[in-house]
Amino acid sequence: IDAIEAALGNRLAGTFTGCIEHTPIETVLKAAAAIRDSGADLVVTVGGGTHIDTVKAALIALAEDVRDVEGFRALKASADSDGNRVVPPIKNPPVRQIVVPTTLTGADFSDLAGVTDTEKRTKYLYTQPRIGGAAVLLDPALTVHTPEWLWLSTGIRAVDHAVETVCGQTPQPLADAGALHALRLLAAGLPETRRAPGDLAARQSCQLGVWMSCMGLNRVQYGASHGIGHLLGAVSGVPHGYTSCVMLPHVMRYNRVRTETRQTWIADALGRPGEDAADAVASLVAGLGLPSRLRDVDVSKDDFAAIAEGSLGTIFVRNNVRPIADATQIVDLLEAAW
């Protein structure tokens, strides 16, 4: 960051370093105030999903000149009775962002921001076509500073994007192609970056895998792994990468009856033809030394009811390929993952 600031010289309007994991509303409003007060005409975002989503959400706050929590809550996306996304009209933001990602979350390729309401212990989605990156710069050299657990676990988050794209309610050929190639790149690249952290070619291969995994964004609705993951973050503070490590195989098993053929494609792409796809994902997680149980990421069973109730109302759970109509079904998944 010091080197970037030095390179910008007198073009640097200011630096905001107050991003907090899970993107609480209060931090979003602080970031918006910092951008507003600096007079900046462009934001360069260097970091992971927390940083990128903070800026996306801050641009929405700036667009609507919202400066308080209640006003910001009113701008969230929601789902109607049929599970369709309902988005309030939001003006174009006064500035754009250029994104330089240092993790593999995929936040860099979306116009969706996940924001936590700490008071209500839930997570909201915000969207507007111009809050995402006007450009994304994939520089593998920057990622060598990212902690290994964060790099690898967000890589599984990208696997989650790809899997839930292939197994979504409304599959699309272009999204299928991108997602399946993403799985090939990630299945090879993630273990290699763990074995040889300085291998920049392997790191860039993972970055390209993230890009391909996001071909389903706004084309295919993600499912319950994403929906439950959001609440695991909001209620129990679990990092997003870890939520995918733990929940994705269990959601895949739940959805297998509706996606059996497509899950064989996933196993093939992961280099494990003939294996159960959920087991193939679980093996990849284990091989990277990542956690695979809720107890391993400090989730208490006391939180299951809040996680289940909150998840049930998310757009993603509402659109899971195999319907989930009751919070007890989510509790069953949490019990299996615990």
PDB file of all heavy atoms in Angstrom, residues 216-235:
ATOM      1  N   GLY A 216     -21.612 -17.168 -13.961  1.00  0.00           N
ATOM      2  CA  GLY A 216     -23.024 -17.348 -13.630  1.00  0.00           C
ATOM      3  C   GLY A 216     -23.647 -16.177 -12.905  1.00  0.00           C
ATOM      4  O   GLY A 216     -24.875 -16.147 -12.711  1.00  0.00           O
ATOM      5  N   LEU A 217     -22.829 -15.207 -12.502  1.00  0.00           N
ATOM      6  CA  LEU A 217     -23.368 -14.069 -11.762  1.00  0.00           C
ATOM      7  C   LEU A 217     -24.449 -13.350 -12.575  1.00  0.00           C
ATOM      8  O   LEU A 217     -24.239 -12.997 -13.731  1.00  0.00           O
ATOM      9  CB  LEU A 217     -22.249 -13.082 -11.422  1.00  0.00           C
ATOM     10  CG  LEU A 217     -21.386 -13.445 -10.220  1.00  0.00           C
ATOM     11  CD1 LEU A 217     -20.157 -12.560 -10.164  1.00  0.00           C
ATOM     12  CD2 LEU A 217     -22.197 -13.329  -8.940  1.00  0.00           C
ATOM     13  N   ASN A 218     -25.595 -13.161 -11.943  1.00  0.00           N
ATOM     14  CA  ASN A 218     -26.751 -12.505 -12.568  1.00  0.00           C
ATOM     15  C   ASN A 218     -27.304 -13.278 -13.765  1.00  0.00           C
ATOM     16  O   ASN A 218     -28.136 -12.761 -14.504  1.00  0.00           O
ATOM     17  CB  ASN A 218     -26.422 -11.063 -12.984  1.00  0.00           C
ATOM     18  CG  ASN A 218     -26.244 -10.161 -11.780  1.00  0.00           C
ATOM     19  OD1 ASN A 218     -26.821 -10.402 -10.726  1.00  0.00           O
ATOM     20  ND2 ASN A 218     -25.446  -9.124 -11.924  1.00  0.00           N
ATOM     21  N   ARG A 219     -26.817 -14.497 -13.947  1.00  0.00           N
ATOM     22  CA  ARG A 219     -27.393 -15.385 -14.960  1.00  0.00           C
ATOM     23  C   ARG A 219     -28.075 -16.582 -14.302  1.00  0.00           C
ATOM     24  O   ARG A 219     -29.108 -17.045 -14.764  1.00  0.00           O
ATOM     25  CB  ARG A 219     -26.309 -15.879 -15.926  1.00  0.00           C
ATOM     26  CG  ARG A 219     -25.708 -14.808 -16.825  1.00  0.00           C
ATOM     27  CD  ARG A 219     -24.755 -15.441 -17.848  1.00  0.00           C
ATOM     28  NE  ARG A 219     -24.262 -14.449 -18.794  1.00  0.00           N
ATOM     29  CZ  ARG A 219     -23.098 -13.819 -18.675  1.00  0.00           C
ATOM     30  NH1 ARG A 219     -22.301 -14.096 -17.647  1.00  0.00           N
ATOM     31  NH2 ARG A 219     -22.710 -12.930 -19.573  1.00  0.00           N
ATOM     32  N   VAL A 220     -27.438 -17.084 -13.247  1.00  0.00           N
ATOM     33  CA  VAL A 220     -27.949 -18.258 -12.539  1.00  0.00           C
ATOM     34  C   VAL A 220     -28.014 -17.917 -11.054  1.00  0.00           C
ATOM     35  O   VAL A 220     -27.049 -17.365 -10.503  1.00  0.00           O
ATOM     36  CB  VAL A 220     -27.011 -19.473 -12.747  1.00  0.00           C
ATOM     37  CG1 VAL A 220     -27.520 -20.682 -11.983  1.00  0.00           C
ATOM     38  CG2 VAL A 220     -26.867 -19.794 -14.230  1.00  0.00           C
ATOM     39  N   GLN A 221     -29.128 -18.227 -10.421  1.00  0.00           N
ATOM     40  CA  GLN A 221     -29.238 -17.983  -8.984  1.00  0.00           C
ATOM     41  C   GLN A 221     -28.421 -19.004  -8.205  1.00  0.00           C
ATOM     42  O   GLN A 221     -28.543 -20.204  -8.427  1.00  0.00           O
ATOM     43  CB  GLN A 221     -30.705 -18.077  -8.544  1.00  0.00           C
ATOM     44  CG  GLN A 221     -31.550 -16.875  -8.935  1.00  0.00           C
ATOM     45  CD  GLN A 221     -31.298 -15.661  -8.052  1.00  0.00           C
ATOM     46  OE1 GLN A 221     -30.374 -15.641  -7.240  1.00  0.00           O
ATOM     47  NE2 GLN A 221     -32.120 -14.643  -8.212  1.00  0.00           N
ATOM     48  N   TYR A 222     -27.563 -18.512  -7.311  1.00  0.00           N
ATOM     49  CA  TYR A 222     -26.866 -19.417  -6.410  1.00  0.00           C
ATOM     50  C   TYR A 222     -27.860 -20.038  -5.430  1.00  0.00           C
ATOM     51  O   TYR A 222     -29.024 -19.626  -5.361  1.00  0.00           O
ATOM     52  CB  TYR A 222     -25.777 -18.674  -5.649  1.00  0.00           C
ATOM     53  CG  TYR A 222     -24.639 -18.172  -6.506  1.00  0.00           C
ATOM     54  CD1 TYR A 222     -23.978 -16.987  -6.201  1.00  0.00           C
ATOM     55  CD2 TYR A 222     -24.209 -18.881  -7.611  1.00  0.00           C
ATOM     56  CE1 TYR A 222     -22.923 -16.522  -6.976  1.00  0.00           C
ATOM     57  CE2 TYR A 222     -23.149 -18.429  -8.400  1.00  0.00           C
ATOM     58  CZ  TYR A 222     -22.510 -17.243  -8.073  1.00  0.00           C
ATOM     59  OH  TYR A 222     -21.471 -16.795  -8.840  1.00  0.00           O
ATOM     60  N   GLY A 223     -27.370 -21.016  -4.639  1.00  0.00           N
ATOM     61  CA  GLY A 223     -28.281 -21.762  -3.786  1.00  0.00           C
ATOM     62  C   GLY A 223     -27.957 -21.693  -2.314  1.00  0.00           C
ATOM     63  O   GLY A 223     -27.392 -20.719  -1.807  1.00  0.00           O
ATOM     64  N   ALA A 224     -28.282 -22.778  -1.613  1.00  0.00           N
ATOM     65  CA  ALA A 224     -28.284 -22.780  -0.158  1.00  0.00           C
ATOM     66  C   ALA A 224     -26.891 -22.659   0.457  1.00  0.00           C
ATOM     67  O   ALA A 224     -26.762 -22.160   1.579  1.00  0.00           O
ATOM     68  CB  ALA A 224     -28.959 -24.048   0.354  1.00  0.00           C
ATOM     69  N   SER A 225     -25.844 -23.105  -0.221  1.00  0.00           N
ATOM     70  CA  SER A 225     -24.514 -22.954   0.362  1.00  0.00           C
ATOM     71  C   SER A 225     -24.200 -21.482   0.552  1.00  0.00           C
ATOM     72  O   SER A 225     -23.669 -21.073   1.594  1.00  0.00           O
ATOM     73  CB  SER A 225     -23.448 -23.617  -0.520  1.00  0.00           C
ATOM     74  OG  SER A 225     -22.166 -23.484   0.064  1.00  0.00           O
ATOM     75  N   HIS A 226     -24.536 -20.665  -0.438  1.00  0.00           N
ATOM     76  CA  HIS A 226     -24.324 -19.226  -0.319  1.00  0.00           C
ATOM     77  C   HIS A 226     -25.241 -18.614   0.740  1.00  0.00           C
ATOM     78  O   HIS A 226     -24.812 -17.800   1.553  1.00  0.00           O
ATOM     79  CB  HIS A 226     -24.557 -18.542  -1.668  1.00  0.00           C
ATOM     80  CG  HIS A 226     -23.372 -18.576  -2.570  1.00  0.00           C
ATOM     81  ND1 HIS A 226     -22.951 -19.729  -3.197  1.00  0.00           N
ATOM     82  CD2 HIS A 226     -22.511 -17.620  -2.949  1.00  0.00           C
ATOM     83  CE1 HIS A 226     -21.880 -19.462  -3.931  1.00  0.00           C
ATOM     84  NE2 HIS A 226     -21.591 -18.185  -3.793  1.00  0.00           N
ATOM     85  N   GLY A 227     -26.513 -19.011   0.717  1.00  0.00           N
ATOM     86  CA  GLY A 227     -27.466 -18.428   1.653  1.00  0.00           C
ATOM     87  C   GLY A 227     -27.129 -18.740   3.100  1.00  0.00           C
ATOM     88  O   GLY A 227     -27.125 -17.847   3.964  1.00  0.00           O
ATOM     89  N   ILE A 228     -26.838 -19.999   3.394  1.00  0.00           N
ATOM     90  CA  ILE A 228     -26.474 -20.388   4.760  1.00  0.00           C
ATOM     91  C   ILE A 228     -25.135 -19.761   5.131  1.00  0.00           C
ATOM     92  O   ILE A 228     -24.931 -19.303   6.266  1.00  0.00           O
ATOM     93  CB  ILE A 228     -26.420 -21.922   4.883  1.00  0.00           C
ATOM     94  CG1 ILE A 228     -27.816 -22.517   4.657  1.00  0.00           C
ATOM     95  CG2 ILE A 228     -25.892 -22.335   6.257  1.00  0.00           C
ATOM     96  CD1 ILE A 228     -27.834 -24.032   4.522  1.00  0.00           C
ATOM     97  N   GLY A 229     -24.227 -19.692   4.168  1.00  0.00           N
ATOM     98  CA  GLY A 229     -22.922 -19.091   4.430  1.00  0.00           C
ATOM     99  C   GLY A 229     -23.017 -17.647   4.872  1.00  0.00           C
ATOM    100  O   GLY A 229     -22.288 -17.200   5.765  1.00  0.00           O
ATOM    101  N   HIS A 230     -23.920 -16.892   4.252  1.00  0.00           N
ATOM    102  CA  HIS A 230     -24.081 -15.493   4.640  1.00  0.00           C
ATOM    103  C   HIS A 230     -24.475 -15.373   6.106  1.00  0.00           C
ATOM    104  O   HIS A 230     -23.987 -14.507   6.834  1.00  0.00           O
ATOM    105  CB  HIS A 230     -25.127 -14.823   3.749  1.00  0.00           C
ATOM    106  CG  HIS A 230     -24.588 -14.356   2.452  1.00  0.00           C
ATOM    107  ND1 HIS A 230     -25.313 -13.613   1.546  1.00  0.00           N
ATOM    108  CD2 HIS A 230     -23.367 -14.527   1.862  1.00  0.00           C
ATOM    109  CE1 HIS A 230     -24.572 -13.342   0.481  1.00  0.00           C
ATOM    110  NE2 HIS A 230     -23.397 -13.890   0.651  1.00  0.00           N
ATOM    111  N   LEU A 231     -25.365 -16.250   6.554  1.00  0.00           N
ATOM    112  CA  LEU A 231     -25.813 -16.169   7.948  1.00  0.00           C
ATOM    113  C   LEU A 231     -24.774 -16.721   8.909  1.00  0.00           C
ATOM    114  O   LEU A 231     -24.671 -16.258  10.052  1.00  0.00           O
ATOM    115  CB  LEU A 231     -27.153 -16.892   8.102  1.00  0.00           C
ATOM    116  CG  LEU A 231     -28.395 -16.005   7.915  1.00  0.00           C
ATOM    117  CD1 LEU A 231     -28.497 -14.976   9.056  1.00  0.00           C
ATOM    118  CD2 LEU A 231     -28.403 -15.292   6.580  1.00  0.00           C
ATOM    119  N   LEU A 232     -23.996 -17.704   8.484  1.00  0.00           N
ATOM    120  CA  LEU A 232     -22.893 -18.168   9.325  1.00  0.00           C
ATOM    121  C   LEU A 232     -21.919 -17.023   9.594  1.00  0.00           C
ATOM    122  O   LEU A 232     -21.351 -16.916  10.689  1.00  0.00           O
ATOM    123  CB  LEU A 232     -22.159 -19.330   8.665  1.00  0.00           C
ATOM    124  CG  LEU A 232     -22.849 -20.689   8.727  1.00  0.00           C
ATOM    125  CD1 LEU A 232     -22.146 -21.689   7.815  1.00  0.00           C
ATOM    126  CD2 LEU A 232     -22.868 -21.216  10.161  1.00  0.00           C
ATOM    127  N   GLY A 233     -21.743 -16.165   8.604  1.00  0.00           N
ATOM    128  CA  GLY A 233     -20.903 -14.989   8.808  1.00  0.00           C
ATOM    129  C   GLY A 233     -21.551 -13.978   9.720  1.00  0.00           C
ATOM    130  O   GLY A 233     -20.940 -13.482  10.671  1.00  0.00           O
ATOM    131  N   ALA A 234     -22.825 -13.663   9.451  1.00  0.00           N
ATOM    132  CA  ALA A 234     -23.504 -12.614  10.208  1.00  0.00           C
ATOM    133  C   ALA A 234     -23.740 -13.005  11.659  1.00  0.00           C
ATOM    134  O   ALA A 234     -23.622 -12.174  12.562  1.00  0.00           O
ATOM    135  CB  ALA A 234     -24.833 -12.278   9.535  1.00  0.00           C
ATOM    136  N   VAL A 235     -24.095 -14.276  11.896  1.00  0.00           N
ATOM    137  CA  VAL A 235     -24.445 -14.716  13.249  1.00  0.00           C
ATOM    138  C   VAL A 235     -23.228 -15.204  14.024  1.00  0.00           C
ATOM    139  O   VAL A 235     -23.062 -14.870  15.200  1.00  0.00           O
ATOM    140  CB  VAL A 235     -25.524 -15.826  13.200  1.00  0.00           C
ATOM    141  CG1 VAL A 235     -25.799 -16.385  14.590  1.00  0.00           C
ATOM    142  CG2 VAL A 235     -26.808 -15.292  12.578  1.00  0.00           C
TER     143      VAL A 235
END
